[in-house]
Amino acid sequence: LAKTTQPISMDSYEGQEVNITCSHNNIATNDYITWYQQFPSQGPRFIIQGYKTKVTNEVASLFIPADRKSSTLSLPRVSLSDTAVYYCLLDGGSQGNLIFGKGTKLSVKP
Amino acid sequence: DTGVSQNPRHKITKRGQNVTFRCDPISEHNRLYWYRQTLGQGPEFLTYFQNEAQLEKSRLLSDRFSAERPKGSFSTLEIQRTEQGDSAMYLCASSLAALGAPYEQYFGPGTRLTVT
């Protein structure tokens, strides 16, 4: 099974852009890359998903290089409420391969 | 509330006892997933169902773990002969099924199990 690696923690200040990278050297052809946000005592919540190149939605962007061995979640202009743990997930869809990283704890300071 | 619900939210049990957790997914979702999450770790995939069919169960942690979804709606996760190492948060999620790109998963609040 493919493994994912993320930084354990990151610090930022309100209003800054935050980029969190996930490494997945052995990603499978059918794997999509999905990012989730988790607050304490809650289940994870979907942020964004992509397969390759760039995806953008109303809250984040996801950059995936051509070799797909990594991905970068970009959060523009973070606020205090973005303090949470962020996970990347490799999801093989119908294949049932679901691998979460260990998560990156983002702390946003005023 | 039309989100994913899990019951109970907390369970304390003694080592060797059996426990069962229930998950009620979003009603139109035909996929249901179970995960285990320990402190400081990401969710660890255990098993998933599409309707009533359990399509992946090789990642269940041992033969003490079993899951059912008898009518394709709610699901139960049972742990027999609990051990202290089973103490964790058990998360359930649901989604639509897809042939291509997976749909986002909606997670419940989890059941926190403490084995004493």
Side-chain angles (χ1 to χ4, degrees), chain B residues 13-17 36 62 64-65 79-88 90 113-116:
Chain B
T13 192
K14 293 186 177 181
R15 183 165 53 95
Q17 297 294 304
R36 181 179 77 162
S62 78
R64 297 185 297 107
F65 288 71
I79 309 174
Q80 296 182 329
R81 304 181 303 281
T82 53
E83 302 173 356
Q84 288 188 321
D86 296 332
S87 294
Y90 290 85
L113 173 66
T114 302
V115 182
T116 62

Side-chain angles (χ1 to χ4, degrees), chain A residues 13-18 58 74-80 82 108:
Chain A
Y13 290 94
E14 281 190 295
Q16 289 189 331
E17 178 184 74
V18 171
E58 62 276 11
S74 181
L75 304 172
R77 299 179 298 281
V78 294
S79 64
L80 296 176
D82 293 318
V108 180

